[in-house]
Amino acid sequence: MQKRRSHKKSRNGCQNCKKWHTKCDESGPPCNNCTLRKAKCVYNRPKVDSLNNRGSLTMRSRDAGAELWPITIERPPGDVGALCGAYGGPSRLMELELMHQWSTNTYKAFCGIPEDGEYLQVILPRFALEYDYMLNCIMAISSLQIAKLIGERNATKYVNAGLEYYNRGSSSFRTQLCTMNADNCHVLYMFSAIAIAAQLSIPHHSGSVLDLLVIALDLVNGSTSIGMMGMPWLLNSPFPLRLFISRMGASKDLIDPDSRFALARLHAINDQRNRAASESVSSDEEGDGVILVRDHELYHMSIEGLEMCFAEEARGLLRGFSTAFPGLAGKPFASLISRSDPFSLLIVMHWAVLLSQLDKNIWWAQSIAEELAIEIAGLLRTHHPILALEWAEPMSWVFNRLGVSTPQSRELSCSSGLESECWEVT
């Protein structure tokens, strides 16, 4: 007969910890477990019979021998429970709806290769039972997607719930970053990636989509850092990153001639604006010229990253690859966008063309494309009118590819000041 594993019990724990079959630290009320779950902590009461307890929903963890893991708890007024009041039932009904939404629909928005499907639909939710920040993240993005699907008139409840889940998950996520290891690295990485989509999904109404993008770019930089630091762990995790990387490498020859011409034009603008200044600065000279050298190389790398995205999307092997452009462009480029640097904004306008062509399942990125391009064009015309005239042709190309006609279309048809011979495709 197998010897029973010895373990220490909490003899004087609170009622909730006994009900949840978790070890109580006996430091309350409230104890740490009740604090994390925002539950009322009560001591010296009989253990509640789990068969008669209808206040929480439990599921088995992925380890068949593990204890039951509590998924929902009763929330105080003002929390998700209150937000669900109009739902006609307790908050756990909404959470069942959100998990169903994730497993049948939302997960598809993050599938880059077919092998991602099982990981996102089955494996990641199982890990979410152990990592509360991931569970909250899944709830948040699923709620925001429902809000997008049902229309603005009925979306308020789902938007509010999505924000609540997102904020709760973010708080827990930040405390877990310092404990990244081989077991939780892929969960932390997926949270950071999905959080970008959640940020871009937040309704902005009269606000600025560019402001949302700037915040999202900061999250991209954080996600990229997690990926780089945890790369050895990620490559050997359940997340099929190794397969994704092995399938990269689309040739730029796959880019359609019209897009190749537009990208070559961006290179020409960069060379015209920055190369002459960079060549006049010696390697040991300090001053403003050093920034010009850096900017020329930075823009060049960003445009090359955009070319990679156009090529991968043209090949169609890595679905939604263009959403990775901010990570390819890097943190310094994101910094330029946050400062409303005009040329970086022009490059982002070209990225919007790729976003508009994404699979409709990648709703969180596709939906911002047109509005992003229009907002950037308005910003350039207002704050950089001379550059807007100079860049009329590339801006017109973006709107033509988006299928958008603007009141300034006649203005955009004027000469950009660059000869077409400079845009020879190589």
Side-chain angles (χ1 to χ4, degrees), residues 162-367:
L163 293 174
E164 171 66 22
Y165 285 122
Y166 178 75
N167 290 335
R168 185 187 304 172
S170 297
S171 177
S172 177
F173 169 76
R174 287 191 291 268
T175 63
Q176 294 297 316
L177 273 177
C178 60
T179 65
M180 186 168 68
N181 54 50
D183 294 327
N184 66 10
C185 181
H186 69 101
V187 184
L188 289 167
Y189 178 75
M190 286 309 304
F191 178 96
S192 68
I194 297 175
I196 299 167
Q199 178 63 41
L200 292 176
S201 305
I202 298 173
H204 47 279
H205 303 299
S206 60
S208 166
V209 67
L210 189 57
D211 289 342
L212 279 181
L213 178 63
V214 169
I215 298 174
L217 292 179
D218 285 337
L219 297 177
V220 169
N221 294 327
S223 181
T224 301
S225 298
I226 293 174
M228 296 302 296
M229 290 188 297
M231 184 60 68
W233 292 329
L234 285 175
L235 292 176
N236 294 286
S237 72
F239 177 44
L241 179 62
R242 187 184 297 272
L243 284 175
F244 186 92
I245 294 176
S246 68
R247 295 172 190 174
M248 292 173 57
S251 170
K252 293 180 182 179
D253 294 337
L254 296 173
I255 304 175
D256 66 275
D258 185 47
S259 298
R260 291 175 64 193
F261 182 85
L263 293 168
R265 180 165 52 199
L266 288 178
H267 278 300
I269 295 174
N270 183 33
D271 291 344
Q272 184 187 64
R273 287 172 58 83
N274 298 314
R275 174 172 286 179
S278 66
E279 290 176 350
S280 66
V281 180
S282 62
S283 59
D284 59 348
E285 183 177 352
E286 296 183 359
D288 294 339
V290 176
I291 297 178
L292 291 174
V293 175
R294 182 196 63 192
D295 285 352
H296 178 269
E297 295 175 351
L298 174 58
Y299 292 133
H300 181 79
M301 291 174 58
S302 301
I303 299 169
E304 285 193 328
L306 193 58
E307 289 174 330
M308 182 186 300
C309 291
F310 270 91
E312 292 292 356
E313 293 293 353
R315 184 173 60 157
L317 192 59
L318 303 176
R319 179 173 166 270
F321 185 87
S322 58
T323 60
F325 167 69
L328 297 173
K331 186 174 181 179
F333 184 76
S335 178
L336 291 175
I337 296 174
S338 68
R339 301 200 302 268
S340 297
D341 170 74
F343 188 43
S344 66
L345 293 179
L346 181 65
I347 295 174
V348 171
M349 283 188 69
H350 287 65
W351 177 47
V353 172
L354 284 178
L355 295 182
S356 70
Q357 299 170 354
L358 288 172
D359 186 323
K360 290 184 179 180
N361 282 324
I362 313 178
W363 52 275
W364 57 271
Q366 186 196 50
S367 61

Side-chain angles (χ1 to χ4, degrees), residues 54 80-81 84 87-95:
R54 301 187 182 184
V80 175
C84 298
Y87 192 71
S91 60
R92 66 177 180 270
L93 293 181
M94 171 175 269
E95 293 183 337

